Amino acid sequence: MERGVAANVWRLRATGGHRDRRHSPPREDCDRDMVGKKRGGPRRLALSEARGASLVLLYLLALRALVHVSHRRLLSHPPAAGPRDFSAPRARGYLDNITAIGPRPAGSPENEVVAVNYLLEQIRTIERESTGAHKISVNVQRPTGSFSIDFLGGFTSYYANITNVVVKLEPRNGAEHAVLSNCHFDSVPNTPGASDDAVSCAVMLEILNTLSKSSEPLQHAVIFLFNGAEENILQASHGFITQHEWAKSIRAFINLEAAGVGGRELVFQTGPENPWLVQAYVVAAKHPFASVVAQEVFQSGIIPADTDFRIYRDFGNIPGIDLAFIENGYIYHTEYDTSDRILTDSIQRAGDNILAVLKYLATSEKLAKSFEYRHGNVVFFDVLGLFVLAYPARVGTIMNYITAVIAFFYLSKKVIQPKTRAVHNLKKFFTAFGLTLISWICTLVTVIIVAVFVSVIGRSLSWYTYFYVSVFLYGTSAAANLILVHTLAKKFFYKNMNEQYLGDLFFDASLMIWSIALAVITQIGLCSAFICTLWVAFPLLTKLVIHKELSQKGATMKFVTMYMLGMFVPYVYMMYLSWTVFEMFTPIMGRSGSEILPDVVLAGFIVVMTTILSSYFINFIYLVKSTKTTLVTLTAVFVVTLILVCSGIFFPYSSDAANPRPKRVFLQHMSRRFHDLDGNVVKSDSGIWINGFDYNGMSHITPHVPEINDTIRTPCEEQAPFCGFPWILPVHFMFRKNWYLPAPEIILRSPIHFKVLSRELMPQNSIKLTFEASGPSHMSLYVRPHEGSTLSTWSLGNGVPVPSLGGDYFVFYSHGLQATPWHFWVELTAPEKHSDGIVSLAIAAHYFFGEDQKSPQLHALLERFPNWTFPSGLS
């Protein structure tokens, strides 16, 4: 192409910063593709490969550093507490005292007596010291109930005599409406549960203390629910919202949860609908951290977790805000979840936010009429933790479509002008569009192959302790593949075409992809489409601005500077968002089950992030003269990292006291008895059933405990419900690799009792069976109708049986102290001839605490596990 080119065409040459005074030889399509342009256009941009690659790398590193600084800064030195402000040191005192009780599973004396008495003692102290402006009422609720839920594939829950501690702070003259603040003081077995969820209860105690001492009157009541059975899959919140007399006055709620240990608390669910609630958080929160992206990811079911938010939403029909600590999820639900790992600054930050939002809601006119404001969803996201942007989803839809239309108009105008070359231009444009998509697909396939290879050779999770390994292994592979595909296309497919024209063409191709994504995601109805808006609007604006500036002298650095400044907003936000995503998802890979390849999941995330971050740098590949050095460097880093990973130098787990990354193992010493139709025992055995929480299974454990190896892998008992194993929850589809180590029979002080009370013939060939069960605080019931039989109704939930994945039925049972035997019935429609019976039932007793929790054999085995594991055991 001759030197006369269009002002919107870019060319970067490896000329050391000097103008290329040599005339280029004629090239195919150059003059025709840039028809109608005169000579004497803008100066050619000159930038070497080394300089260009360095600038891009420094740019991304600078954005990464900015995001890191914003995360750290927002956790350090919150405003000092004044006389009426939230006091983190006092809240820490509550936290230390609650965790000092030890593990607090529902039904244990530690949970039902010690923790409850401590809470009541602190509440009474707060009540005595409160001002005359408020009235404090306290109630201890012990509900019994049942419900079904579609979490974990679907199951039914039954609870009896569990515990809630409820406090109502209201104006002296009372209040008709209330806002609820919810935490839970119970924990999973074998963990002190500092972050999940003692710290939230400590924060709520201090908020209650602060509000009670304030002379400022509240317009509405604030109800503080300290629930004692959340880890029993949301039972206590169900008991409160469906049975407590105060529940009828609640118009909105704030739920405090944890998916990690400390850090910032993320607003990851709001609504449903009720955009005024998000606006309340936007106005009131002092240190905002919120994302509608997190909400849509969480509600998609990708993360195997749920919170009391679901109960209040589904059973109470109440809108709310769900917050959770997300930092350091590696030690969530482990013995390392101790109070000393939660920073006082983190407590201060959470207290400031929740106190401010509760005060705002308790004085808001909208709370009393919350149902009138239930219209539409809301788009919300924080900007580096400084402030939150929120607007109605319908406004976002309009903005998204307008942005997409402008982009399509800009692209179509470029393609169809001049009209005589429209077909030719379309061909070139869609070729570039297709090549961009092909490069993304090739990159994804290649990196996934690497991840599968690493998993197959037994080196999965090599990045679990050293996260940078995943970047060096999968990030460099993704970047190298993208560059390689476009370098080959440039060399062979676009051999005689002008680099400036190609750079412009591939920029437009990326803009087209983002514009289509914007339109499609908006049409689907996802609020996360705002991300695509950023990736369309800012690049398009940058392109239009640069178009007018390139003809000036010294355009090379000006072009690079303006280009990167124009891309600053979408790039810095995507880096910020990706940080949050990886902070949440990476620890989850250590507890995602034996069937998911964590390397494939993480590699997929990294490829997605790489393609997104590179989408508007692909054109640089066509603008620089060579990419050889960059490709060699990336390939070398990838190869060296792959060799080191294959050698096993990066051990997945860590026992570092300051920053542990434990491997989770669950062991149950069990005794099983299988009966025939006449009640005779046809099979019995005893052993220690072992589940690894990640894909690596027991491969790293075997060298330390040789008897735990693949020779004791146990098959499924096909004739029994849930393979004949005592699953605490219906997660059998996540843990298909099981190990069964023979062991002596358990000697229990409180054995389970299970019997049939009656068998009644009902109309329409139905049979009603009534049962009685008694045992420890936690039991599981498994039901499998035989072929030809149908479980039509039962006494649980709303009477409609909900099957789990696989077709069996699962019931999770728990009780507090002094519960009566559990009576229930099932009704089945059965064929007239059923010689093999109509249904198989099984019941398992789980000993979460007390003398029966760990047998001597189990205790001895647990002691042999290496210190980089967290082996949790029960009988």
Side-chain angles (χ1 to χ4, degrees), residues 421-670:
R421 303 294 298 164
V423 175
H424 179 76
N425 292 342
L426 274 173
K427 180 180 177 182
K428 294 292 184 184
F429 177 75
F430 282 107
T431 300
F433 179 86
L435 269 173
T436 303
L437 291 180
I438 289 171
S439 70
W440 290 3
I441 294 170
C442 288
T443 298
L444 179 62
V445 171
T446 303
V447 177
I448 293 299
I449 289 173
V450 174
V452 171
F453 170 74
V454 168
S455 302
V456 168
I457 66 172
R459 299 304 182 193
S460 183
L461 291 168
S462 296
W463 38 264
Y464 194 63
T465 293
Y466 313 96
F467 183 73
Y468 62 85
V469 173
S470 66
V471 177
F472 290 162
L473 182 64
Y474 301 125
T476 57
S477 175
N481 270 275
L482 280 171
I483 295 173
L484 179 62
V485 170
H486 287 281
T487 299
L488 293 175
K490 175 184 175 182
K491 184 175 181 179
F492 297 105
F493 190 75
Y494 294 118
K495 187 174 182 180
N496 295 317
M497 291 190 68
N498 179 266
E499 295 94 336
Q500 295 175 320
Y501 173 71
L502 293 176
D504 194 48
L505 186 64
F506 278 88
F507 177 94
D508 291 343
S510 294
L511 183 62
M512 182 66 170
I513 291 173
W514 278 109
S515 301
I516 292 174
L518 172 59
V520 171
I521 296 175
T522 302
Q523 180 62 33
I524 293 173
L526 295 179
C527 294
S528 300
F530 78 91
I531 297 175
C532 297
T533 302
L534 296 178
W535 285 91
V536 173
F538 283 92
L540 180 57
L541 183 62
T542 301
K543 180 72 174 295
L544 295 175
V545 171
I546 290 179
H547 167 80
K548 298 179 180 180
E549 299 290 339
L550 285 179
S551 61
Q552 300 179 16
K553 187 176 181 179
T556 301
M557 287 310 299
K558 189 169 186 178
F559 157 74
V560 173
T561 302
M562 293 185 65
Y563 189 80
M564 292 187 171
L565 284 176
M567 298 294 182
F568 176 80
V569 171
Y571 270 86
V572 75
Y573 183 77
M574 185 52 63
M575 297 284 277
Y576 179 73
L577 182 63
S578 63
W579 176 299
T580 303
V581 169
F582 284 121
E583 190 172 41
M584 291 181 63
F585 272 92
T586 305
I588 290 175
M589 294 297 99
R591 56 180 191 270
S592 58
S594 63
E595 305 308 300
I596 296 175
L597 277 66
D599 277 65
V600 171
V601 175
L602 187 66
F605 275 133
I606 291 176
V607 169
V608 169
M609 292 302 175
T610 303
T611 53
I612 290 174
L613 294 175
S614 67
S615 55
Y616 288 108
F617 283 123
I618 286 176
N619 52 308
F620 275 55
I621 299 171
Y622 295 90
L623 294 171
V624 297
K625 186 175 182 180
S626 171
T627 58
K628 182 178 179 180
T629 303
T630 304
L631 273 174
V632 169
T633 302
L634 290 171
T635 304
V637 173
F638 164 71
V639 171
V640 170
T641 306
L642 181 61
I643 292 172
L644 292 175
V645 167
C646 293
S647 71
I649 194 172
F650 300 115
F651 190 70
Y653 315 105
S654 170
S655 60
D656 178 42
N659 202 20
R661 300 284 191 273
K663 175 180 175 61
R664 300 163 188 256
V665 185
F666 189 45
L667 302 93
Q668 298 182 72
H669 190 174
M670 66 179 187

Side-chain angles (χ1 to χ4, degrees), residues 206-444:
E206 178 53 22
I207 290 175
L208 172 62
N209 179 61
T210 303
L211 289 176
S212 70
K213 293 180 179 178
S214 172
S215 59
E216 299 176 19
L218 299 175
Q219 183 176 345
H220 309 293
V222 181
I223 295 176
F224 298 86
L225 172 60
F226 302 86
N227 91 56
E230 190 273 349
E231 298 295 356
N232 282 6
I233 315 301
L234 321 179
Q235 291 179 337
S237 57
H238 181 270
F240 171 78
I241 205 65
T242 59
Q243 300 178 41
H244 201 284
E245 59 179 345
W246 293 347
K248 297 177 182 179
S249 66
I250 296 172
R251 300 293 175 261
F253 69 90
I254 297 178
N255 183 51
L256 314 182
E257 257 296 348
V261 179
R264 298 189 291 165
E265 76 288 351
L266 171 69
V267 173
F268 65 99
Q269 287 191 100
T270 65
E273 301 182 322
N274 287 272
W276 71 275
L277 264 180
V278 177
Q279 194 61 38
Y281 178 84
V282 170
V283 172
K286 296 182 179 180
H287 320 286
F289 184 34
S291 175
V292 72
V293 178
Q295 173 173 292
E296 292 181 338
V297 169
F298 188 83
Q299 293 180 352
S300 71
I302 294 175
I303 300 177
D306 217 330
T307 75
D308 288 322
F309 181 96
R310 171 197 284 265
I311 298 297
Y312 300 130
R313 179 194 66 195
D314 295 351
F315 294 93
N317 197 29
I318 302 169
I321 300 174
D322 211 0
L323 303 99
F325 295 100
I326 64 169
E327 190 172 278
N328 199 8
Y330 299 97
I331 57 177
Y332 165 78
H333 278 190
T334 73
E335 62 185 349
Y336 300 104
D337 184 11
T338 53
S339 62
D340 59 292
R341 296 183 185 275
I342 301 176
L343 298 177
T344 302
D345 288 341
S346 182
I347 299 174
Q348 183 69 59
R349 175 197 154 85
D352 287 343
N353 280 344
I354 298 162
L355 173 61
V357 176
L358 278 175
K359 287 178 67 175
Y360 183 92
L361 293 175
T363 56
S364 171
E365 296 288 344
K366 292 183 177 180
L367 184 73
K369 304 175 182 178
S370 62
F371 290 101
E372 296 181 10
Y373 298 96
R374 191 166 190 163
H375 52 272
N377 293 315
V378 62
V379 180
F380 62 93
F381 55 94
D382 71 287
V383 179
L384 300 181
L386 301 175
F387 58 90
V388 173
L389 288 178
Y391 49 89
R394 61 183 183 276
V395 174
T397 299
I398 296 171
M399 291 169 53
N400 295 346
Y401 280 132
I402 289 175
T403 303
V405 168
I406 291 173
F408 288 137
F409 176 76
Y410 164 81
L411 292 170
S412 62
K413 186 177 179 181
K414 285 192 64 178
V415 170
I416 65 174
Q417 289 185 351
K419 293 182 179 180
T420 56
R421 303 294 298 164
V423 175
H424 179 76
N425 292 342
L426 274 173
K427 180 180 177 182
K428 294 292 184 184
F429 177 75
F430 282 107
T431 300
F433 179 86
L435 269 173
T436 303
L437 291 180
I438 289 171
S439 70
W440 290 3
I441 294 170
C442 288
T443 298
L444 179 62

